[in-house]
PDB file of all heavy atoms in Angstrom:
ATOM      1  N   ILE A 131     -11.517 -20.307   0.458  1.00 97.00           N
ATOM      2  CA  ILE A 131     -11.074 -19.705   1.708  1.00 97.00           C
ATOM      3  C   ILE A 131     -10.241 -20.750   2.454  1.00 97.00           C
ATOM      4  O   ILE A 131      -9.314 -20.437   3.106  1.00 97.00           O
ATOM      5  CB  ILE A 131     -12.316 -19.169   2.564  1.00 97.00           C
ATOM      6  CG1 ILE A 131     -12.934 -18.022   1.760  1.00 97.00           C
ATOM      7  CG2 ILE A 131     -11.831 -18.774   3.864  1.00 97.00           C
ATOM      8  CD1 ILE A 131     -14.225 -17.577   2.403  1.00 97.00           C
ATOM      9  N   ALA A 132     -10.686 -22.027   2.267  1.00 97.00           N
ATOM     10  CA  ALA A 132     -10.014 -23.095   3.047  1.00 97.00           C
ATOM     11  C   ALA A 132      -8.552 -23.387   2.499  1.00 97.00           C
ATOM     12  O   ALA A 132      -7.713 -23.907   3.266  1.00 97.00           O
ATOM     13  CB  ALA A 132     -10.837 -24.376   2.957  1.00 97.00           C
ATOM     14  N   ASP A 133      -8.302 -22.995   1.216  1.00 96.00           N
ATOM     15  CA  ASP A 133      -6.988 -23.248   0.616  1.00 96.00           C
ATOM     16  C   ASP A 133      -5.825 -22.832   1.496  1.00 96.00           C
ATOM     17  O   ASP A 133      -4.936 -23.665   1.812  1.00 96.00           O
ATOM     18  CB  ASP A 133      -6.834 -22.543  -0.729  1.00 96.00           C
ATOM     19  CG  ASP A 133      -7.604 -23.203  -1.808  1.00 96.00           C
ATOM     20  OD1 ASP A 133      -8.012 -24.409  -1.689  1.00 96.00           O
ATOM     21  OD2 ASP A 133      -7.750 -22.601  -2.891  1.00 96.00           O
ATOM     22  N   GLY A 134      -5.773 -21.598   1.947  1.00 94.00           N
ATOM     23  CA  GLY A 134      -4.745 -21.087   2.742  1.00 94.00           C
ATOM     24  C   GLY A 134      -4.567 -21.864   4.074  1.00 94.00           C
ATOM     25  O   GLY A 134      -3.418 -22.129   4.499  1.00 94.00           O
ATOM     26  N   ILE A 135      -5.727 -22.190   4.646  1.00 96.00           N
ATOM     27  CA  ILE A 135      -5.720 -23.008   5.979  1.00 96.00           C
ATOM     28  C   ILE A 135      -5.029 -24.307   5.771  1.00 96.00           C
ATOM     29  O   ILE A 135      -4.142 -24.744   6.573  1.00 96.00           O
ATOM     30  CB  ILE A 135      -7.128 -23.183   6.449  1.00 96.00           C
ATOM     31  CG1 ILE A 135      -7.894 -21.774   6.656  1.00 96.00           C
ATOM     32  CG2 ILE A 135      -7.158 -23.991   7.710  1.00 96.00           C
ATOM     33  CD1 ILE A 135      -9.313 -21.890   6.883  1.00 96.00           C
ATOM     34  N   LEU A 136      -5.391 -24.977   4.643  1.00 95.00           N
ATOM     35  CA  LEU A 136      -4.794 -26.297   4.380  1.00 95.00           C
ATOM     36  C   LEU A 136      -3.397 -26.253   3.933  1.00 95.00           C
ATOM     37  O   LEU A 136      -2.526 -27.091   4.381  1.00 95.00           O
ATOM     38  CB  LEU A 136      -5.687 -27.025   3.372  1.00 95.00           C
ATOM     39  CG  LEU A 136      -7.166 -27.250   3.834  1.00 95.00           C
ATOM     40  CD1 LEU A 136      -8.043 -27.834   2.760  1.00 95.00           C
ATOM     41  CD2 LEU A 136      -7.185 -28.124   5.084  1.00 95.00           C
ATOM     42  N   ILE A 137      -3.078 -25.318   2.983  1.00 92.00           N
ATOM     43  CA  ILE A 137      -1.703 -25.267   2.469  1.00 92.00           C
ATOM     44  C   ILE A 137      -0.682 -24.964   3.688  1.00 92.00           C
ATOM     45  O   ILE A 137       0.383 -25.521   3.661  1.00 92.00           O
ATOM     46  CB  ILE A 137      -1.576 -24.101   1.444  1.00 92.00           C
ATOM     47  CG1 ILE A 137      -2.266 -24.539   0.177  1.00 92.00           C
ATOM     48  CG2 ILE A 137      -0.106 -23.740   1.193  1.00 92.00           C
ATOM     49  CD1 ILE A 137      -2.436 -23.329  -0.821  1.00 92.00           C
ATOM     50  N   HIS A 138      -1.094 -24.075   4.560  1.00 92.00           N
ATOM     51  CA  HIS A 138      -0.152 -23.764   5.671  1.00 92.00           C
ATOM     52  C   HIS A 138      -0.380 -24.645   6.939  1.00 92.00           C
ATOM     53  O   HIS A 138       0.158 -24.351   7.974  1.00 92.00           O
ATOM     54  CB  HIS A 138      -0.285 -22.279   6.012  1.00 92.00           C
ATOM     55  CG  HIS A 138       0.183 -21.410   4.913  1.00 92.00           C
ATOM     56  ND1 HIS A 138       1.560 -21.206   4.643  1.00 92.00           N
ATOM     57  CD2 HIS A 138      -0.428 -20.683   3.933  1.00 92.00           C
ATOM     58  CE1 HIS A 138       1.735 -20.365   3.612  1.00 92.00           C
ATOM     59  NE2 HIS A 138       0.589 -20.055   3.147  1.00 92.00           N
ATOM     60  N   HIS A 139      -1.236 -25.690   6.768  1.00 93.00           N
ATOM     61  CA  HIS A 139      -1.504 -26.610   7.828  1.00 93.00           C
ATOM     62  C   HIS A 139      -1.929 -25.928   9.168  1.00 93.00           C
ATOM     63  O   HIS A 139      -1.425 -26.186  10.304  1.00 93.00           O
ATOM     64  CB  HIS A 139      -0.331 -27.450   8.232  1.00 93.00           C
ATOM     65  CG  HIS A 139       0.343 -28.120   6.960  1.00 93.00           C
ATOM     66  ND1 HIS A 139      -0.341 -29.137   6.314  1.00 93.00           N
ATOM     67  CD2 HIS A 139       1.416 -27.812   6.273  1.00 93.00           C
ATOM     68  CE1 HIS A 139       0.394 -29.474   5.275  1.00 93.00           C
ATOM     69  NE2 HIS A 139       1.482 -28.705   5.242  1.00 93.00           N
ATOM     70  N   LEU A 140      -2.836 -24.899   9.012  1.00 94.00           N
ATOM     71  CA  LEU A 140      -3.287 -24.144  10.114  1.00 94.00           C
ATOM     72  C   LEU A 140      -4.490 -24.823  10.877  1.00 94.00           C
ATOM     73  O   LEU A 140      -4.805 -24.419  11.956  1.00 94.00           O
ATOM     74  CB  LEU A 140      -3.747 -22.733   9.684  1.00 94.00           C
ATOM     75  CG  LEU A 140      -2.559 -21.963   9.103  1.00 94.00           C
ATOM     76  CD1 LEU A 140      -3.023 -20.661   8.467  1.00 94.00           C
ATOM     77  CD2 LEU A 140      -1.530 -21.686  10.098  1.00 94.00           C
ATOM     78  N   ALA A 141      -5.104 -25.804  10.212  1.00 93.00           N
ATOM     79  CA  ALA A 141      -6.161 -26.640  10.916  1.00 93.00           C
ATOM     80  C   ALA A 141      -6.203 -27.969  10.094  1.00 93.00           C
ATOM     81  O   ALA A 141      -5.824 -28.026   9.039  1.00 93.00           O
ATOM     82  CB  ALA A 141      -7.520 -25.899  10.684  1.00 93.00           C
ATOM     83  N   ALA A 142      -6.649 -28.956  10.896  1.00 93.00           N
ATOM     84  CA  ALA A 142      -6.819 -30.273  10.248  1.00 93.00           C
ATOM     85  C   ALA A 142      -7.997 -30.146   9.256  1.00 93.00           C
ATOM     86  O   ALA A 142      -8.883 -29.319   9.442  1.00 93.00           O
ATOM     87  CB  ALA A 142      -7.183 -31.327  11.303  1.00 93.00           C
ATOM     88  N   PRO A 143      -7.949 -30.916   8.115  1.00 89.00           N
ATOM     89  CA  PRO A 143      -9.042 -30.836   7.152  1.00 89.00           C
ATOM     90  C   PRO A 143     -10.422 -30.843   7.757  1.00 89.00           C
ATOM     91  O   PRO A 143     -11.328 -30.132   7.291  1.00 89.00           O
ATOM     92  CB  PRO A 143      -8.751 -32.058   6.241  1.00 89.00           C
ATOM     93  CG  PRO A 143      -7.321 -32.232   6.343  1.00 89.00           C
ATOM     94  CD  PRO A 143      -6.875 -31.872   7.743  1.00 89.00           C
ATOM     95  N   ALA A 144     -10.557 -31.637   8.795  1.00 91.00           N
ATOM     96  CA  ALA A 144     -11.964 -31.757   9.408  1.00 91.00           C
ATOM     97  C   ALA A 144     -12.340 -30.421  10.074  1.00 91.00           C
ATOM     98  O   ALA A 144     -13.522 -30.170  10.223  1.00 91.00           O
ATOM     99  CB  ALA A 144     -11.998 -32.948  10.481  1.00 91.00           C
ATOM    100  N   GLU A 145     -11.366 -29.703  10.524  1.00 95.00           N
ATOM    101  CA  GLU A 145     -11.683 -28.496  11.235  1.00 95.00           C
ATOM    102  C   GLU A 145     -11.740 -27.232  10.316  1.00 95.00           C
ATOM    103  O   GLU A 145     -12.159 -26.183  10.713  1.00 95.00           O
ATOM    104  CB  GLU A 145     -10.594 -28.215  12.312  1.00 95.00           C
ATOM    105  CG  GLU A 145     -10.686 -29.156  13.481  1.00 95.00           C
ATOM    106  CD  GLU A 145      -9.379 -29.339  14.174  1.00 95.00           C
ATOM    107  OE1 GLU A 145      -8.499 -28.454  14.014  1.00 95.00           O
ATOM    108  OE2 GLU A 145      -9.174 -30.374  14.844  1.00 95.00           O
ATOM    109  N   ALA A 146     -11.297 -27.422   9.056  1.00 96.00           N
ATOM    110  CA  ALA A 146     -11.196 -26.323   8.162  1.00 96.00           C
ATOM    111  C   ALA A 146     -12.551 -25.656   7.933  1.00 96.00           C
ATOM    112  O   ALA A 146     -12.691 -24.436   7.822  1.00 96.00           O
ATOM    113  CB  ALA A 146     -10.512 -26.762   6.835  1.00 96.00           C
ATOM    114  N   GLN A 147     -13.572 -26.468   7.788  1.00 95.00           N
ATOM    115  CA  GLN A 147     -14.926 -25.870   7.513  1.00 95.00           C
ATOM    116  C   GLN A 147     -15.419 -24.994   8.625  1.00 95.00           C
ATOM    117  O   GLN A 147     -15.994 -23.935   8.364  1.00 95.00           O
ATOM    118  CB  GLN A 147     -15.948 -27.086   7.280  1.00 95.00           C
ATOM    119  CG  GLN A 147     -15.765 -27.793   5.934  1.00 95.00           C
ATOM    120  CD  GLN A 147     -15.468 -26.867   4.781  1.00 95.00           C
ATOM    121  OE1 GLN A 147     -16.175 -25.858   4.555  1.00 95.00           O
ATOM    122  NE2 GLN A 147     -14.443 -27.144   4.026  1.00 95.00           N
ATOM    123  N   ALA A 148     -15.088 -25.333   9.910  1.00 97.00           N
ATOM    124  CA  ALA A 148     -15.564 -24.494  10.973  1.00 97.00           C
ATOM    125  C   ALA A 148     -14.793 -23.201  10.913  1.00 97.00           C
ATOM    126  O   ALA A 148     -15.370 -22.108  11.216  1.00 97.00           O
ATOM    127  CB  ALA A 148     -15.321 -25.233  12.305  1.00 97.00           C
ATOM    128  N   ARG A 149     -13.508 -23.268  10.551  1.00 97.00           N
ATOM    129  CA  ARG A 149     -12.684 -22.092  10.441  1.00 97.00           C
ATOM    130  C   ARG A 149     -13.205 -21.170   9.359  1.00 97.00           C
ATOM    131  O   ARG A 149     -13.277 -19.979   9.490  1.00 97.00           O
ATOM    132  CB  ARG A 149     -11.244 -22.507  10.224  1.00 97.00           C
ATOM    133  CG  ARG A 149     -10.243 -21.426  10.059  1.00 97.00           C
ATOM    134  CD  ARG A 149      -9.819 -20.826  11.328  1.00 97.00           C
ATOM    135  NE  ARG A 149      -8.941 -19.653  11.100  1.00 97.00           N
ATOM    136  CZ  ARG A 149      -9.175 -18.421  11.449  1.00 97.00           C
ATOM    137  NH1 ARG A 149     -10.260 -18.105  11.993  1.00 97.00           N
ATOM    138  NH2 ARG A 149      -8.301 -17.442  11.078  1.00 97.00           N
ATOM    139  N   VAL A 150     -13.566 -21.792   8.181  1.00 98.00           N
ATOM    140  CA  VAL A 150     -14.173 -21.034   7.059  1.00 98.00           C
ATOM    141  C   VAL A 150     -15.388 -20.329   7.529  1.00 98.00           C
ATOM    142  O   VAL A 150     -15.599 -19.113   7.272  1.00 98.00           O
ATOM    143  CB  VAL A 150     -14.431 -21.941   5.930  1.00 98.00           C
ATOM    144  CG1 VAL A 150     -15.281 -21.234   4.819  1.00 98.00           C
ATOM    145  CG2 VAL A 150     -13.152 -22.418   5.220  1.00 98.00           C
ATOM    146  N   ALA A 151     -16.282 -21.010   8.319  1.00 97.00           N
ATOM    147  CA  ALA A 151     -17.550 -20.430   8.798  1.00 97.00           C
ATOM    148  C   ALA A 151     -17.216 -19.256   9.692  1.00 97.00           C
ATOM    149  O   ALA A 151     -17.880 -18.193   9.554  1.00 97.00           O
ATOM    150  CB  ALA A 151     -18.406 -21.456   9.503  1.00 97.00           C
ATOM    151  N   ASP A 152     -16.347 -19.413  10.470  1.00 97.00           N
ATOM    152  CA  ASP A 152     -15.853 -18.373  11.343  1.00 97.00           C
ATOM    153  C   ASP A 152     -15.325 -17.092  10.599  1.00 97.00           C
ATOM    154  O   ASP A 152     -15.735 -15.926  10.898  1.00 97.00           O
ATOM    155  CB  ASP A 152     -14.768 -18.859  12.341  1.00 97.00           C
ATOM    156  CG  ASP A 152     -14.226 -17.780  13.205  1.00 97.00           C
ATOM    157  OD1 ASP A 152     -15.028 -17.074  13.854  1.00 97.00           O
ATOM    158  OD2 ASP A 152     -12.980 -17.662  13.251  1.00 97.00           O
ATOM    159  N   LEU A 153     -14.555 -17.360   9.580  1.00 97.00           N
ATOM    160  CA  LEU A 153     -14.088 -16.273   8.700  1.00 97.00           C
ATOM    161  C   LEU A 153     -15.118 -15.511   7.992  1.00 97.00           C
ATOM    162  O   LEU A 153     -15.122 -14.298   7.894  1.00 97.00           O
ATOM    163  CB  LEU A 153     -13.032 -16.740   7.749  1.00 97.00           C
ATOM    164  CG  LEU A 153     -11.591 -17.167   8.370  1.00 97.00           C
ATOM    165  CD1 LEU A 153     -10.835 -18.100   7.424  1.00 97.00           C
ATOM    166  CD2 LEU A 153     -10.862 -15.828   8.711  1.00 97.00           C
ATOM    167  N   LEU A 154     -16.138 -16.349   7.500  1.00 98.00           N
ATOM    168  CA  LEU A 154     -17.237 -15.701   6.713  1.00 98.00           C
ATOM    169  C   LEU A 154     -18.000 -14.782   7.714  1.00 98.00           C
ATOM    170  O   LEU A 154     -18.360 -13.662   7.367  1.00 98.00           O
ATOM    171  CB  LEU A 154     -18.138 -16.813   6.185  1.00 98.00           C
ATOM    172  CG  LEU A 154     -17.557 -17.430   4.875  1.00 98.00           C
ATOM    173  CD1 LEU A 154     -18.427 -18.575   4.407  1.00 98.00           C
ATOM    174  CD2 LEU A 154     -17.435 -16.402   3.762  1.00 98.00           C
ATOM    175  N   ALA A 155     -18.232 -15.306   8.907  1.00 97.00           N
ATOM    176  CA  ALA A 155     -18.930 -14.458   9.897  1.00 97.00           C
ATOM    177  C   ALA A 155     -18.145 -13.189  10.166  1.00 97.00           C
ATOM    178  O   ALA A 155     -18.731 -12.146  10.383  1.00 97.00           O
ATOM    179  CB  ALA A 155     -19.175 -15.252  11.192  1.00 97.00           C
ATOM    180  N   GLN A 156     -16.837 -13.345  10.394  1.00 96.00           N
ATOM    181  CA  GLN A 156     -16.000 -12.151  10.638  1.00 96.00           C
ATOM    182  C   GLN A 156     -16.066 -11.042   9.593  1.00 96.00           C
ATOM    183  O   GLN A 156     -15.936  -9.912   9.893  1.00 96.00           O
ATOM    184  CB  GLN A 156     -14.467 -12.567  10.662  1.00 96.00           C
ATOM    185  CG  GLN A 156     -14.205 -13.448  11.964  1.00 96.00           C
ATOM    186  CD  GLN A 156     -12.828 -13.100  12.475  1.00 96.00           C
ATOM    187  OE1 GLN A 156     -12.372 -11.943  12.392  1.00 96.00           O
ATOM    188  NE2 GLN A 156     -12.184 -14.068  13.108  1.00 96.00           N
ATOM    189  N   VAL A 157     -16.245 -11.439   8.319  1.00 97.00           N
ATOM    190  CA  VAL A 157     -16.384 -10.437   7.284  1.00 97.00           C
ATOM    191  C   VAL A 157     -17.757 -10.065   6.997  1.00 97.00           C
ATOM    192  O   VAL A 157     -18.071  -9.348   6.007  1.00 97.00           O
ATOM    193  CB  VAL A 157     -15.592 -10.828   5.979  1.00 97.00           C
ATOM    194  CG1 VAL A 157     -14.185 -11.062   6.302  1.00 97.00           C
ATOM    195  CG2 VAL A 157     -16.235 -12.105   5.387  1.00 97.00           C
ATOM    196  N   GLY A 158     -18.698 -10.501   7.835  1.00 97.00           N
ATOM    197  CA  GLY A 158     -20.101 -10.131   7.694  1.00 97.00           C
ATOM    198  C   GLY A 158     -20.958 -10.849   6.617  1.00 97.00           C
ATOM    199  O   GLY A 158     -21.909 -10.322   6.070  1.00 97.00           O
ATOM    200  N   LEU A 159     -20.462 -12.074   6.315  1.00 98.00           N
ATOM    201  CA  LEU A 159     -21.240 -12.908   5.363  1.00 98.00           C
ATOM    202  C   LEU A 159     -21.832 -14.170   6.134  1.00 98.00           C
ATOM    203  O   LEU A 159     -21.409 -14.479   7.277  1.00 98.00           O
ATOM    204  CB  LEU A 159     -20.273 -13.420   4.313  1.00 98.00           C
ATOM    205  CG  LEU A 159     -19.757 -12.340   3.328  1.00 98.00           C
ATOM    206  CD1 LEU A 159     -18.764 -12.992   2.313  1.00 98.00           C
ATOM    207  CD2 LEU A 159     -20.879 -11.723   2.508  1.00 98.00           C
ATOM    208  N   ASP A 160     -22.856 -14.690   5.498  1.00 98.00           N
ATOM    209  CA  ASP A 160     -23.537 -15.793   6.102  1.00 98.00           C
ATOM    210  C   ASP A 160     -22.769 -17.112   5.929  1.00 98.00           C
ATOM    211  O   ASP A 160     -22.543 -17.541   4.800  1.00 98.00           O
ATOM    212  CB  ASP A 160     -24.951 -15.918   5.444  1.00 98.00           C
ATOM    213  CG  ASP A 160     -25.866 -16.997   6.043  1.00 98.00           C
ATOM    214  OD1 ASP A 160     -25.342 -17.813   6.887  1.00 98.00           O
ATOM    215  OD2 ASP A 160     -27.040 -16.982   5.840  1.00 98.00           O
ATOM    216  N   PRO A 161     -22.349 -17.719   6.999  1.00 98.00           N
ATOM    217  CA  PRO A 161     -21.553 -18.946   6.923  1.00 98.00           C
ATOM    218  C   PRO A 161     -22.262 -20.081   6.111  1.00 98.00           C
ATOM    219  O   PRO A 161     -21.659 -20.929   5.518  1.00 98.00           O
ATOM    220  CB  PRO A 161     -21.295 -19.350   8.368  1.00 98.00           C
ATOM    221  CG  PRO A 161     -21.505 -18.124   9.123  1.00 98.00           C
ATOM    222  CD  PRO A 161     -22.478 -17.273   8.402  1.00 98.00           C
ATOM    223  N   ALA A 162     -23.600 -19.998   6.071  1.00 98.00           N
ATOM    224  CA  ALA A 162     -24.354 -20.953   5.322  1.00 98.00           C
ATOM    225  C   ALA A 162     -24.192 -20.842   3.814  1.00 98.00           C
ATOM    226  O   ALA A 162     -24.522 -21.831   3.074  1.00 98.00           O
ATOM    227  CB  ALA A 162     -25.855 -20.812   5.643  1.00 98.00           C
ATOM    228  N   HIS A 163     -23.499 -19.772   3.375  1.00 98.00           N
ATOM    229  CA  HIS A 163     -23.341 -19.607   1.927  1.00 98.00           C
ATOM    230  C   HIS A 163     -21.898 -20.062   1.450  1.00 98.00           C
ATOM    231  O   HIS A 163     -21.515 -19.766   0.289  1.00 98.00           O
ATOM    232  CB  HIS A 163     -23.510 -18.082   1.554  1.00 98.00           C
ATOM    233  CG  HIS A 163     -24.926 -17.660   1.759  1.00 98.00           C
ATOM    234  ND1 HIS A 163     -25.225 -16.344   1.699  1.00 98.00           N
ATOM    235  CD2 HIS A 163     -26.092 -18.342   1.993  1.00 98.00           C
ATOM    236  CE1 HIS A 163     -26.600 -16.207   1.934  1.00 98.00           C
ATOM    237  NE2 HIS A 163     -27.092 -17.423   2.176  1.00 98.00           N
ATOM    238  N   ALA A 164     -21.227 -20.809   2.265  1.00 98.00           N
ATOM    239  CA  ALA A 164     -19.869 -21.261   1.940  1.00 98.00           C
ATOM    240  C   ALA A 164     -19.878 -22.115   0.671  1.00 98.00           C
ATOM    241  O   ALA A 164     -18.834 -22.169  -0.013  1.00 98.00           O
ATOM    242  CB  ALA A 164     -19.288 -22.027   3.115  1.00 98.00           C
ATOM    243  N   GLY A 165     -20.961 -22.748   0.373  1.00 98.00           N
ATOM    244  CA  GLY A 165     -20.942 -23.661  -0.776  1.00 98.00           C
ATOM    245  C   GLY A 165     -21.281 -22.987  -2.129  1.00 98.00           C
ATOM    246  O   GLY A 165     -21.249 -23.600  -3.217  1.00 98.00           O
ATOM    247  N   ARG A 166     -21.553 -21.662  -2.023  1.00 98.00           N
ATOM    248  CA  ARG A 166     -21.882 -20.919  -3.285  1.00 98.00           C
ATOM    249  C   ARG A 166     -20.648 -20.582  -4.084  1.00 98.00           C
ATOM    250  O   ARG A 166     -19.574 -20.501  -3.592  1.00 98.00           O
ATOM    251  CB  ARG A 166     -22.656 -19.693  -2.844  1.00 98.00           C
ATOM    252  CG  ARG A 166     -23.975 -20.013  -2.235  1.00 98.00           C
ATOM    253  CD  ARG A 166     -24.868 -18.823  -2.105  1.00 98.00           C
ATOM    254  NE  ARG A 166     -26.167 -19.141  -1.509  1.00 98.00           N
ATOM    255  CZ  ARG A 166     -27.163 -18.328  -1.287  1.00 98.00           C
ATOM    256  NH1 ARG A 166     -27.008 -17.036  -1.550  1.00 98.00           N
ATOM    257  NH2 ARG A 166     -28.302 -18.752  -0.836  1.00 98.00           N
ATOM    258  N   LEU A 167     -20.945 -20.295  -5.340  1.00 97.00           N
ATOM    259  CA  LEU A 167     -19.911 -19.816  -6.291  1.00 97.00           C
ATOM    260  C   LEU A 167     -19.758 -18.292  -6.312  1.00 97.00           C
ATOM    261  O   LEU A 167     -20.758 -17.615  -5.999  1.00 97.00           O
ATOM    262  CB  LEU A 167     -20.210 -20.351  -7.734  1.00 97.00           C
ATOM    263  CG  LEU A 167     -20.177 -21.854  -7.876  1.00 97.00           C
ATOM    264  CD1 LEU A 167     -20.773 -22.268  -9.270  1.00 97.00           C
ATOM    265  CD2 LEU A 167     -18.851 -22.465  -7.698  1.00 97.00           C
ATOM    266  N   PRO A 168     -18.538 -17.823  -6.644  1.00 96.00           N
ATOM    267  CA  PRO A 168     -18.381 -16.318  -6.648  1.00 96.00           C
ATOM    268  C   PRO A 168     -19.479 -15.554  -7.317  1.00 96.00           C
ATOM    269  O   PRO A 168     -19.828 -14.468  -6.798  1.00 96.00           O
ATOM    270  CB  PRO A 168     -17.049 -16.181  -7.300  1.00 96.00           C
ATOM    271  CG  PRO A 168     -16.273 -17.485  -7.030  1.00 96.00           C
ATOM    272  CD  PRO A 168     -17.356 -18.486  -7.055  1.00 96.00           C
ATOM    273  N   HIS A 169     -19.980 -16.002  -8.470  1.00 96.00           N
ATOM    274  CA  HIS A 169     -20.914 -15.136  -9.220  1.00 96.00           C
ATOM    275  C   HIS A 169     -22.204 -15.015  -8.530  1.00 96.00           C
ATOM    276  O   HIS A 169     -23.068 -14.156  -8.910  1.00 96.00           O
ATOM    277  CB  HIS A 169     -21.140 -15.762 -10.639  1.00 96.00           C
ATOM    278  CG  HIS A 169     -21.986 -16.970 -10.687  1.00 96.00           C
ATOM    279  ND1 HIS A 169     -23.383 -16.846 -10.681  1.00 96.00           N
ATOM    280  CD2 HIS A 169     -21.754 -18.253 -10.724  1.00 96.00           C
ATOM    281  CE1 HIS A 169     -23.870 -18.127 -10.732  1.00 96.00           C
ATOM    282  NE2 HIS A 169     -22.902 -18.949 -10.733  1.00 96.00           N
ATOM    283  N   GLU A 170     -22.435 -15.813  -7.470  1.00 97.00           N
ATOM    284  CA  GLU A 170     -23.703 -15.650  -6.708  1.00 97.00           C
ATOM    285  C   GLU A 170     -23.711 -14.490  -5.724  1.00 97.00           C
ATOM    286  O   GLU A 170     -24.664 -14.230  -4.968  1.00 97.00           O
ATOM    287  CB  GLU A 170     -24.068 -16.966  -5.956  1.00 97.00           C
ATOM    288  CG  GLU A 170     -24.271 -18.115  -6.957  1.00 97.00           C
ATOM    289  CD  GLU A 170     -24.587 -19.446  -6.273  1.00 97.00           C
ATOM    290  OE1 GLU A 170     -25.676 -19.568  -5.709  1.00 97.00           O
ATOM    291  OE2 GLU A 170     -23.638 -20.274  -6.224  1.00 97.00           O
TER     292      GLU A 170
END
Side-chain angles (χ1 to χ4, degrees):
I131 295 171
D133 283 346
I135 302 172
L136 298 173
I137 289 168
H138 292 283
H139 309 289
L140 299 172
E145 290 154 21
Q147 288 317 310
R149 177 82 183 115
V150 167
D152 174 50
L153 286 162
L154 285 172
Q156 289 217 32
V157 299
L159 291 173
D160 186 345
H163 294 169
R166 295 191 176 179
L167 295 172
H169 75 83
E170 297 179 72

